[in-house]
């Protein structure tokens, strides 16, 4: 093919002077005026046209074109909300489409138009729509459809302006953001430009121009980012801030590329502003309720009920409300304070809430007191609460003592004795100590008084200070300022309360909480931060408990921070997520164990119905905020990197839902969070719930105690969900009782830090990562799964298979657990075999990096169980390298699979053959320099006698005399060395028995390569590439033939770093460039590509569903749910390309499903990305497993990748015609035949529609002959039934027929054809060019055409009469007639040739067995497959009984048993086999007996007389 831009030749001019040369233009270009839509003051240009022109220019800029963005957006801003734009468009509409409407609607619209105030009517579009709908209602259905069509433009106008100009403007601005995201969301990061192009191709498969436009747009990303920053400034002013806008902002915030950073940051800033709008709206919503509370007319119970009813809004806007206290009127101030206390202590039975005002220095000071009951794990403790309100720190220091004393005196009953724990001294530390963490286990101290200090003006003071310094605070800077400020603020208040510690202890105050509300004030540069900073100080000494910073005291116990006692904790605070508490945790005894613990409390109203409970458990903004806070913490340079994070969520209010239903909802929600959890490395999710039984009547809910439930979701290595009931023992300790497990998602090896799925466990501190946990984390970083966890994945995959089968086959009932039983296989003592492990071995206890199991799986195909041998690399053991021991385990496990005929699955994750150096010799050797001069190089390495003796057989040496030293020795050490009589020169390093330095690993690699090759020829072998595979690891995968590849797992021979060193430049970026799915799926090494390991195991189990349990067993069969009598109704259209898969699966035709040949939803395609002119796969026909090969009849693309190492190389795409075997598709066909035959034992169904082989020069050089021959080779040795069928509108010609002709393997192969199929050597036009040429066509014309016969007769008469002129005229007429008829007779010749290719002739010549109509092919082949399998099984029995019996002889014997009348009826034969099983066994035994007799007779006949006599005597 000629590529665009290639030079085809060079022209050399005879006389260049005759050619006019291009000269620079020297004239005047004239006045280039702007487009008319942009001309200033033009009265002829309509406003809406200007608007549309500006919008189009903006979209062009987003497509990558360069324009003056500032000018465009400035002009657009003037028009976005201008109602004259709407009026202008309506004017044009009335002059055009509206004028052609029927009289009624036209008159109504004209009346609206004549009023002249279109621009003043809000929602004018809805008025227009109502006028149209009014007329529409008066019409019948046909007239209504015609009217809608005629008024389409008017309807569009009405929809556009239905709700006013702001909605119209919002849709415009959001269209710009959507346009930006359309392109940029396909580019996930800075290193994935090619992936972005791939994503665009996937999104626009049929529109290459659009893909190109998107790529060009992305190339102008810097300009687009600048444009988007300006567009985002329009939000809020020119748009609603609705859910659609918020969703777009969220998507912009999720962009990860550095090039998107400015847009991402701005989107997050606006999102924060959006949150401030919500807070402001919530404040406005609760103000009427607060005024009701301020009126003082409500009882204590009514006040609680009122606050509870608005608790959700109060939680959102409480910083704004608290800031109101400083300037609100007295009644409203009291109401806000009351609401705050009732909100904070909503779960604590608040009583005697009183707000008192004291006059100090001419100013009123508020003091609040209340009593409450704190429930600490079932133990109810009566407490007394106080809150003092100050305007500043100075105010606090001046009035605290007096106000505190007055408030304390309101305490109703002083305690008889102080809490013994009140005198405990706690150490100071940047990280919380275990002592302090343990102290949180029982909640707040039991001393009676808890003091709260609300300081209103502190935030304003800090802001004023910042303003004074001239700071213009951005969103990120303001957040950083808040974080830095909390440190100094905490120290300031600690000094204050340390100075007042004596007073506080005297007044028996157990804890002090300082609350600093901060509300957004954008005019002051606060950038929308709304939060309450909280500092908690505990007796004695009143040191700050940094763990509890920014946590309301009543909420501390619920967060269960005492469970972090095994870690050194650092609080991570982000003011934009005040409800989320993040802790950086480093294990005290294991520094590598670093995690983020994210803890939050969901503060909403109780869910009193199941629907409300489901809504609370589904994804919410607060849960997303927790993930956002974790993302901030992970990206913050102040904190260490963590690889295993934990999210803990407490639902403060009860939910009316069963625990089983809750688990289902959570399980479904996890799919929404999957991307976030994977990105943020969240490995465990813990939910604390209080559940009402949904059967409880609504009126009894308030009087019913909810049950404490804890749901723990283990997210890695596989999903597991456990529910525990909380039970409190006599000591107040919480224990967990296992309630139920999601059995469809259990893993046998868990990480769960609570309970380990045990029946009963105590709620204690989070455990540190075990050795196994650390290995799992290491595997996670390598994008793979820990080898031991694959067993659990198989259990999940089999459970999923049962679930799918039960939906498809209602008569199937899944068995009870377990569905998979794993027995680990270890080397025997003599290493001659692998044998079952007698005792349970914990994961991670292996001393060899290769593992093996026998898995007994109860599958839908084999409910009683089937065994497979599973082999897996442990990549955490010496990087998964192959040493001698690993090779031996692999070899022996594979030999066991061969001996028992079992499928052998290999989970591959390795780094190739193990190599190294002898560490013992490395520590001992010495160097002999040439002439004792290092500058002259090394002469040899040697050992002292002592080291030589210690190393033993680890080294081979020879004794040599040390060279004479040219100089004298002054140093004692040198003199000692000179006295050595001989050197033990190292000849070769062997290494110790445990050291594997190279060649022994290579020999072992050769052994497993040979073993894999043998196994592939004897049993079913499959390899799963779960992580990188190097060298021999890649070879054994390929030698096993069947490969499933995980998308992030390369198969390579040499790593990209080594190749770059070899090439001397950084050519390759990753191993995926060398052996990723794009390479291995494109060249046929990988049969399937999966996204993750669990999907990989599911596909392996699915593949096994087509494979016999042992290699000598018949293929598996499922109950028939798709009746075999169902006709195959999907019919291809002659001469029209179609998807050949629809012949198998069925397809949609004219909106209705038309069935195909195979059972519905049973076909699975393999090798889809390689050699696309052939489709191969496995499916079911009447429940029986079959292998299928079908021809692609459409032209396909073959991608040829560029080699980055060759600068001249570039990606290419070659076109391959349908119905033709090319080298790759011929090889694919041959390989599929071999795979179906070896190990799988499947009947083969060939839907043959080939015109032949591609015989061009390139394909002949590409070994088309070799690969075509492989098809014959593999069909000749096929041991199972093969059915070649030419489908309707299909054809089989030339060499394509030859390589699948039944005579290649007459015992196993049969050929059929549809009545509309064709077969022959050449196609009709081709054979007619050879065998029915023009002279013969002319003869046929003269034989058949009456007109020509008449002209011939006239010619004869004219010739006899010698009428020369008449003869010439007749010749012309004959020639004209022949020319006229030639096209028709060419068609006749083709039709005649086509008659030779019809199925009738094929059947008559015996080259096909039967003509099978497509509609009945499903039923025919379903019974034929079953009959052949039963027949061939009997033939094998007969030939085993009599070794001299041929296949034909065995068939003749069977035909005699069954009878000639029923022999041709497949169903009759099957009935006979089923009804005569005992008789068949007897007849086979009789054949065996006769064969033995015959053999004995032949042996006796060859004996002499004496030997015969001796034999008879012995009998």
């Amino acid at each position: 093919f000629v590529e665009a831009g290639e030079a085809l030749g060079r022209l050399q001019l005879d006389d260049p002077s005759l050619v006019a040369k291009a000269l620079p233009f020297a004239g005047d270009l004239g006045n280039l005026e702007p487009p008319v839509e942009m001309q200033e003051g033009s009265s002829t240009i309509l406003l809406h046209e200007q608007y549309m022109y500006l919008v189009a220019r903006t979209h062009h800029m987003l497509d990558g074109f360069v324009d003056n963005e500032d000018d465009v957006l400035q002009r657009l801003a003037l028009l976005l909300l201008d109602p004259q734009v709407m009026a202008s468009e309506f004017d044009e509409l009335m002059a055009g489409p509206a004028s052609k409407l029927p009289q009624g609607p036209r008159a109504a619209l004209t009346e609206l138009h004549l009023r002249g105030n279109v621009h003043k009517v809000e929602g004018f579009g809805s008025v227009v729509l109502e006028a149209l709908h009014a007329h529409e209602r008066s019409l019948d259905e046909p007239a209504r459809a015609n009217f809608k069509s005629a008024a389409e433009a008017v309807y569009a106008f009405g929809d556009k302006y239905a709700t006013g100009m702001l909605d119209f403007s919002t849709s415009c601005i959001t269209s710009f953001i959507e346009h930006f995201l359309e392109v940029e969301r396909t580019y996930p990061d800075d290193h994935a430009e090619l992936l972005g192009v791939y994503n665009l191709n996937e999104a626009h498969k049929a529109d290459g121009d659009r893909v190109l436009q998107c790529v060009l747009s992305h190339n102008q990303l810097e300009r687009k980012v600048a444009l988007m920053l300006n567009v985002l400034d329009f939000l809020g002013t020119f748009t609603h801030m609705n859910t659609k806008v918020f969703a777009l902002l969220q998507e912009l915030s999720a962009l990860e590329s550095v090039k998107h950073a400015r847009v991402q940051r701005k989107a997050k800033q606006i999102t924060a502003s959006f949150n401030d709008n919500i807070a402001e709206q919530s404040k406005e919503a609760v103000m009427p309720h607060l005024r009701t509370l301020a009126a003082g007319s409500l009882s204590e119970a009514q006040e609680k009920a009122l606050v509870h009813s608005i608790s959700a809004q109060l939680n959102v806007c409480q910083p704004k409300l608290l800031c109101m206290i400083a300037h609100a009127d007295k009644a409203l101030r009291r109401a806000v304070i009351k609401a705050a206390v009732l909100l904070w202590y909503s779960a604590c039975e608040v009583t005697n809430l009183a707000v008192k005002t004291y006059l100090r220095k001419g100013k009123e000071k508020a003091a609040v007191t209340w009593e409450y009951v704190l429930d600490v794990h079932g133990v109810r403790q009566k407490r007394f609460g106080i809150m003092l309100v100050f305007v500043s720190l100075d105010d606090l220091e001046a009035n605290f003592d007096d106000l505190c004393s007055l408030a304390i005196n309101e305490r109703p009953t002083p305690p008889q004795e102080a809490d013994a724990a009140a005198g405990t001294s706690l150490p100071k530390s940047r990280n919380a100590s275990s002592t302090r963490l343990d102290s949180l286990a029982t909640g707040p101290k039991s001393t009676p008084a808890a003091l709260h200090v609300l300081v209103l003006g502190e935030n304003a003071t800090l802001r004023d200070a910042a303003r004074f310094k001239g700071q213009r605070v951005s969103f990120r800077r303001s957040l950083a300022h808040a974080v830095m400020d909390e440190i100094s603020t905490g120290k300031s208040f600690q000094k204050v309360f340390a100075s007042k510690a004596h007073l506080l202890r005297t007044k028996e105050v157990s804890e002090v909480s300082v609350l600093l509300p901060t509300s957004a004030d954008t005019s002051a540069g606060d950038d929308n931060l709304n939060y309450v900073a909280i500092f908690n100080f505990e007796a004695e000494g009143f040191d700050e408990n940094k763990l509890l910073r920014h946590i309301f005291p009543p909420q501390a116990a619920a967060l269960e921070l005492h469970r972090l006692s095994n870690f050194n904790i650092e609080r991570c605070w982000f003011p934009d997520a005040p409800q989320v508490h993040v802790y950086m945790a480093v294990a005290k005894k294991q520094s590598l164990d670093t995690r983020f613990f994210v803890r939050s409390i969901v503060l909403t109203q109780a869910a009193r119905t199941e629907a409300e409970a489901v809504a609370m458990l589904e994804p919410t903004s607060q849960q997303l905020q927790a993930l956002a806070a974790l993302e901030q913490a992970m990206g913050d340079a102040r904190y260490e990197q963590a690889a295993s994070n934990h999210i803990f969520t407490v639902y403060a209010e009860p939910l009316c839902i069963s625990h089983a239903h809750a688990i289902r909802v959570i399980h479904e929600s996890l799919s929404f969070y999957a991307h976030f959890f994977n990105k943020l490395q969240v490995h465990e999710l813990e939910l604390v719930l209080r559940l009402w039984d949904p059967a409880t009547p609504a009126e009894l809910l308030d009087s019913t105690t909810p049950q404490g439930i804890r749901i723990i979701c283990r997210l890695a290595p596989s999903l597991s969900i456990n529910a525990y009931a909380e039970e409190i023992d006599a000591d107040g300790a919480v224990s967990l009782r296992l309630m139920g497990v999601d059995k469809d998602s259990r893993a046998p090896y868990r990480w769960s830090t609570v309970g380990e799925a045990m029946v009963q466990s105590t709620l204690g501190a989070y455990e540190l990562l075990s050795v196994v946990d650390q290995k799992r984390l290491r595997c996670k970083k390598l994008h793979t799964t820990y080898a031991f966890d694959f067993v659990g994945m198989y259990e999940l995959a089999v459970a999923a298979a049962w679930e799918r089968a039960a939906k498809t086959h209602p008569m199937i009932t899944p068995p009870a657990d377990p569905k998979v039983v794993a027995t680990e296989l270890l080397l025997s003592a003599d290493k001659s075999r692998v044998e079952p492990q007698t005792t349970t071995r914990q994961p991670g206890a292996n001393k060899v990096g290769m593992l093996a199991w026998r898995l007994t799986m109860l599958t839908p195909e084999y409910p009683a169980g089937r065994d497979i041998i599973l082999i897996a690399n442990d990549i955490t053991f010496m990087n998964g390298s192959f040493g001698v021991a690993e090779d031996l385990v692999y070899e022996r496990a594979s030999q066991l699979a061969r001996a028992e005929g079992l499928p052998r699955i290999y989970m591959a994750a390795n780094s190739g053959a193990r190599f190294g150096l002898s560490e013992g010799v490395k520590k001992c050797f010495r160097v002999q320099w040439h002439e004792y001069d290092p500058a002259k190089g090394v002469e040899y390495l040697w050992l002292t006698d002592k080291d030589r003796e210690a190393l033993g057989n680890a080294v081979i040496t020879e004794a040599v005399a040390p060279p004479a030293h040219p100089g004298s020795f002054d140093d004692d050490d040198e003199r000692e060395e000179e006295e050595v009589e001989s050197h033990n020169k190292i000849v070769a390093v062997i290494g110790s028995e445990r050291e594997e330095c190279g060649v022994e690993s290579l020999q072992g690699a050769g052994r497993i390569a040979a073993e894999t090759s043998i196994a592939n020829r004897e049993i079913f072998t499959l390899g799963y590439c779960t992580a990188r595979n190097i060298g021999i690891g890649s070879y054994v995968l390929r030698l096993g033939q069947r490969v499933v590849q995980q998308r992030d797992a390369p198969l390579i021979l040499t790593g990209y770093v080594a190749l770059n060193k070899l090439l001397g430049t950084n050519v390759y970026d990753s191993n995926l460039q060398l052996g990723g799915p794009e390479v291995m799926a494109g060249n046929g090494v990988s049969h399937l590509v999966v996204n993750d390991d669990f999907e990989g195991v599911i596909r392996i189990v699915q593949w096994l569903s087509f494979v016999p349990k042992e290699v000598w067993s018949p293929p598996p069969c499922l109950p028939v749910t798709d009746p075999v009598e169902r006709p195959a109704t999907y019919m291809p259209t002659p001469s029209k390309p179609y998807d050949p898969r629809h012949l198998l699966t069925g397809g949609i035709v004219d909106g209705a499903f038309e069935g195909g040949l195979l059972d519905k939803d049973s076909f699975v395609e393999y090798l889809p990305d390689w050699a696309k002119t052939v489709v191969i796969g496995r499916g079911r026909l009447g429940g029986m497993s079959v292998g299928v090969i079908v021809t692609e009849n459409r032209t396909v693309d073959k991608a040829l990748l560029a080699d980055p190492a060759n600068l001249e190389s570039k990606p290419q795409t070659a076109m391959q015609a349908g119905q033709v075997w090319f080298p790759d598709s011929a090889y694919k066909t041959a390989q599929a035949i071999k795979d179906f035959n070896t190990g799988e034992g499947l009947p083969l169904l060939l839907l043959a529609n080939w015109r032949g082989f591609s015989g061009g020069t390139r394909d002949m050089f590409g070994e088309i002959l070799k690969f075509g021959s492989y098809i014959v080779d593999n069909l000749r040795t096929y041991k199972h039934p093969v059915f070649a069928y030419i489908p309707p509108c299909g054809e089989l010609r030339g060499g394509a027929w030859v390589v699948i002709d039944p005579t290649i393997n007459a015992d196993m192969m049969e050929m059929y054809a549809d009545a509309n199929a064709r077969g022959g050597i050449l196609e009709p036009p081709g054979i007619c060019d050879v065998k029915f040429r023009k002279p013969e066509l002319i003869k046929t014309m003269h034989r058949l055409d009456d007109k020509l016969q008449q002209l011939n007769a006239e010619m004869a008469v004219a010739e006899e009469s010698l009428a020369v002129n008449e003869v010439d005229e007749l010749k012309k007429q004959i020639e004209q007639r022949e020319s006229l008829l030639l096209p028709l007779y060419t068609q006749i010749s083709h039709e005649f040739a086509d008659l030779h290719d019809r199925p009738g002739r094929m059947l008559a010549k015996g080259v096909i067995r039967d003509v099978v109509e497509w509609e009945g092919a499903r039923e025919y082949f379903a019974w034929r497959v079953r009959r052949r399998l039963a027949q061939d099984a009997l033939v094998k029995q007969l030939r085993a009984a009599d070794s001299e019996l041929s296949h034909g002889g065995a068939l003749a014997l069977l035909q005699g048993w069954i009878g000639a009348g029923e022999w041709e009826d497949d169903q009759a034969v099957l009935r006979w086999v089923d009804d005569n099983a005992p008789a068949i066994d007897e007849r086979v035994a009789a054949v065996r007996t006769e064969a033995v007799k015959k053999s004995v007779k032949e042996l006796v006949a060859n004996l002499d007389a004496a030997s015969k006599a001796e034999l008879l005597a012995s009998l």
Side-chain angles (χ1 to χ4, degrees), residues 1280-1296:
H1280 312 282
V1282 179
F1283 306 94
Y1285 177 65
I1286 309 176
C1289 306
E1291 55 185 322
L1292 189 62
R1293 300 191 181 276

Side-chain angles (χ1 to χ4, degrees), residues 481-504:
H481 175 76
V483 172
M484 293 301 296
D485 175 63
E486 71 163 345
I487 299 173
S488 59
T489 303
K491 291 179 179 178
S492 298
F493 281 101
Q494 182 159 335
K495 290 179 181 178
V496 171
F497 290 111
S499 67
K500 301 182 183 298
H502 177 72
L503 171 66
L504 295 172

Side-chain angles (χ1 to χ4, degrees), residues 125-164:
S126 61
V127 178
V128 172
L129 289 176
E130 180 55 36
L132 297 176
H133 292 326
H135 179 72
E136 187 182 324
R137 288 190 289 268
S138 66
L139 303 176
D140 56 21
E141 188 59 36
R144 186 181 297 117
N146 292 333
F147 174 70
K148 285 184 175 181
S149 177
E152 183 178 359
V154 186
Y155 274 107
F157 173 86
D159 292 333
K160 187 189 301 185
Y161 298 104
T163 55

Side-chain angles (χ1 to χ4, degrees), residues 793-871:
M793 281 193 178
Y794 275 90
E795 184 177 353
L796 302 181
V798 171
W802 276 105
E803 185 178 343
R804 290 193 302 272
K807 291 178 181 178
T808 309
H809 306 82
M811 68 288 297
I812 288 181
T813 303
D817 284 338
K819 297 181 179 68
V820 175
V821 177
T823 304
E824 190 174 359
L825 304 174
L826 301 180
L827 279 175
S828 61
D830 61 359
K831 300 183 179 181
S832 62
R833 64 188 183 281
V834 288
E835 52 191 16
Q837 172 74 1
T838 55
T839 58
T840 303
R841 185 171 73 164
Q842 292 299 316
N846 54 301
K847 304 299 181 183
V848 178
M850 190 70 70
L851 305 169
W853 294 269
R854 178 193 292 271
L855 297 188
T856 301
M857 305 190 303
L858 280 61
T859 66
E861 300 78 28
Y862 294 103
R866 68 175 302 165
D867 287 356
I868 67 169
I869 300 300
L870 180 67
I871 306 172

